[in-house]
Amino acid sequence: MTTGIRPEQGQQRLGGPMGPTYRLLTVALLALVTIIAFEAMAISTAMPAVARDLDAVRSYGLAFSFMLTAELLGIVLAGVWSDRSGPLPSLFAGQLLMVVGSAMAGLAPTFTVLLAGRLVAGLGAGLIVVALYVVIGRAYPDALRPRVFSWISAAWVLPSLIGPPIAGWLTTTWSWRWVFLIVLAPIAVTFAVVSTHRDRITGGAGADEVPGTDVPAMSDVPADRSGHRRLALLGLGVAISAGAMQWGSTQLTSASMLPAALAALGLVGIALTAPRLVPAGTLRITRGLPAVMMSRFLLTAAFNGALTFIPLMLVNERHLSLTTAGVMLTVGALGWSTGSFVQGQHVVRHRRSELVVAGGASLTVGILLLAAIAQFGWPYLLVGLATVLAGLGMGLAMSSTSVLSLALSAVRDHGRTSSSLQVADVLGSVLGISAAGAVFAALHNPGGSDIRVFELIWLSLAAVAALSMVSGQRTRT
């Protein structure tokens, strides 16, 4: 008879994720997450300076939405690629693309080149994010994975706190270009570390039974080539459609009909492809899982669309420093952390639908406060309160929608459900930022104040956030 060893005993023998066996790989994975999160948060602070230097204030929103669109494509392709060839090709390609894209953006002589760099870096980020989770499943035994995932979550929070102030300091002291270039060296290091651990990732403790423990081996799932090809084509279709819609919407002031036609075709393309990547009934906010997906879409659209234009308003209208604008975004991360902590308490963990509604309400109030600050000229310090309220709402609602999505789907469908949730996340962010960017591009006053434009953007996004309260109520089954 074989005597089994409990998973926690196996964990002690292996020394944990930071033990000698896994230390370098764990640090590399955490570094990659930190780099991606830094790129997302820090560049928000630097973009007003980028737009001014490259004469692209009207096209400000494209620098964010283009990267997210490419990331959406990367997420879909990485799932297909990892299923067929394992996580390493996607992970290596993602790191190379991040290096190339960041270098292009940091050295860009024109805004067009910067946008191309953002597209390349976004594609790389999408490939990395999905591959990371597959790597964790392959390289770590079951006993260690919960701790690794908890540290991955923490790695997203830290850049939200320190990224904006660092970006403001780099831009003010040196140049906005260093906000892009600073990530090149860390990615080179992570590439080298992952390369030295390729044997463990392709056939290590996570893939085979851990000696002396009862950790089961992972079995390879046969690749569904037709299904993979269909997902890849859908991902490519939604990415191209979103790109066409974004570019066309920022050029609507042109006398040519081409931008309007491209924007319309892009919207049609999104309408035809995106619903096939999420559960049926999502657009109709059908009760249950479709309502969860729509809530996620509305929350990310309102939040990211609103926060993207905060630095531009503070720098251009209130004439504040980039560092100060970055701090206003940082305090929003504190609100998100608070909301995440509250939703994890035992007393509310079985009231997920109510938490989604409450989160949508807090987000709505926060965005309305931004509009009021713009309209009435209230002190800029209230922007910090607005971002805290918005972040608090996201902290309450986002984790709750994640829990609901798994609770409302069969175990065998958890992978597809998680993928749909990521698609709703990124697509919501893309469309929220794109819509706000289109309004700004159409109404931007190069020689005067844009305060009314910011007010209109935030009032519209507050209405989107309010819709998440409606869809949140329909997550009850």
Side-chain angles (χ1 to χ4, degrees):
M1 184 177 73
T2 302
T3 301
I5 298 176
R6 294 189 303 274
E8 58 269 23
Q9 291 177 299
Q11 180 173 338
Q12 290 173 357
R13 288 185 54 179
L14 294 168
M18 285 298 180
T21 306
Y22 298 103
R23 184 182 298 125
L24 282 178
L25 181 60
T26 301
V27 171
L29 298 184
L30 294 176
L32 281 172
V33 174
T34 302
I35 290 167
I36 294 172
F38 178 84
E39 281 283 283
M41 292 301 300
I43 288 169
S44 299
T45 305
M47 272 309 298
V50 177
R52 182 181 63 248
D53 287 357
L54 299 182
D55 192 24
V57 175
R58 187 181 297 277
S59 303
Y60 176 85
L62 287 180
F64 302 93
S65 56
F66 263 37
M67 182 173 182
L68 288 168
T69 299
E71 187 173 342
L72 174 64
L73 175 59
I75 286 171
V76 176
L77 294 181
V80 174
W81 202 355
S82 295
D83 282 347
R84 295 184 63 174
S85 306
L88 279 178
S90 178
L91 190 58
F92 285 142
Q95 291 176 90
L96 289 173
L97 289 172
M98 281 284 290
V99 167
V100 173
S102 298
M104 288 176 63
L107 301 174
T110 66
F111 192 67
T112 301
V113 175
L114 183 134
L115 287 180
R118 295 291 279 167
L119 278 170
V120 174
L123 181 60
L127 293 175
I128 290 172
V129 167
V130 174
L132 281 177
Y133 287 88
V134 182
V135 168
I136 293 171
R138 294 283 186 96
Y140 296 86
D142 184 67
L144 298 184
R145 290 175 202 153
R147 289 180 62 187
V148 179
F149 280 121
S150 67
W151 288 350
I152 291 291
S153 298
W156 282 101
V157 173
L158 183 61
S160 300
L161 297 175
I162 67 173
I166 289 176
W169 179 80
L170 284 173
T171 303
T172 303
T173 306
W174 301 97
S175 167
W176 58 263
R177 297 182 184 276
W178 283 105
V179 179
F180 296 95
L181 299 176
I182 197 174
V183 304
L184 300 185
I187 295 177
V189 173
T190 60
F191 189 95
V193 173
V194 172
S195 297
T196 61
H197 287 73
R198 57 189 307 142
D199 290 341
R200 179 173 300 282
I201 293 171
T202 55
D208 300 309
E209 186 174 354
V210 180
T213 72
D214 287 336
V215 179
M218 293 179 62
S219 58
D220 292 329
V221 179
D224 179 2
R225 292 182 179 274
S226 61
H228 289 168
R229 191 179 302 112
R230 172 181 169 274
L231 282 175
L233 290 175
L234 285 173
L236 182 62
V238 74
I240 292 175
S241 299
M245 183 271 296
Q246 292 164 62
W247 184 85
S249 63
T250 59
Q251 306 295 322
L252 292 178
T253 55
S254 170
S256 171
M257 291 296 294
L258 179 61
L262 274 178
L265 286 174
L267 284 173
V268 171
I270 292 172
L272 292 175
T273 54
R276 300 172 68 181
L277 293 169
V278 293
T282 297
L283 292 179
R284 300 191 303 275
I285 319 182
T286 302
R287 186 174 294 278
L289 189 59
V292 173
M293 297 298 171
M294 180 55 73
S295 297
R296 191 82 163 217
F297 172 86
L298 294 170
L299 288 164
T300 56
F303 180 80
N304 289 294
L307 263 67
T308 294
F309 285 86
I310 288 177
L312 190 65
M313 188 276 285
L314 291 177
V315 172
N316 286 8
E317 303 296 332
R318 299 296 180 93
H319 308 293
L320 300 175
S321 68
L322 290 171
T323 302
T324 302
V327 170
M328 295 298 102
L329 296 181
T330 295
V331 295
L334 296 176
W336 192 312
S337 299
T338 301
S340 297
F341 173 78
V342 170
Q343 65 82 33
Q345 300 307 298
H346 180 75
V347 68
V348 296
R349 67 176 56 178
H350 298 300
R351 307 184 67 177
R352 293 294 169 185
S353 295
E354 289 88 341
L355 287 172
V356 176
V357 174
S362 183
L363 177 60
T364 302
V365 173
I367 300 176
L368 283 175
L369 180 55
L370 289 174
I373 293 168
Q375 180 177 7
F376 301 114
W378 290 351
Y380 78 88
L381 289 175
L382 288 176
V383 172
L385 175 60
T387 58
V388 166
L389 288 171
L392 176 65
M394 295 297 281
L396 290 172
M398 292 294 280
S399 295
S400 297
T401 53
S402 296
V403 173
L404 283 169
S405 68
L406 297 180
L408 295 175
S409 59
V411 174
R412 65 179 181 275
D413 295 328
H414 279 182
R416 183 171 182 176
T417 298
S418 298
S419 176
S420 296
L421 208 61
Q422 287 183 324
V423 169
D425 267 356
V426 179
L427 193 58
S429 299
V430 167
L431 293 183
I433 296 172
S434 297
V439 172
F440 185 84
L443 302 179
H444 171 56
N445 181 8
S449 173
D450 287 318
I451 203 68
R452 297 301 179 192
V453 183
F454 291 117
E455 178 186 342
L456 176 60
I457 288 173
W458 285 325
L459 285 174
S460 301
L461 291 171
V464 174
L467 287 176
S468 70
M469 298 166 60
V470 177
S471 61
Q473 290 177 336
R474 295 188 61 78
T475 60
R476 295 189 184 94
T477 58

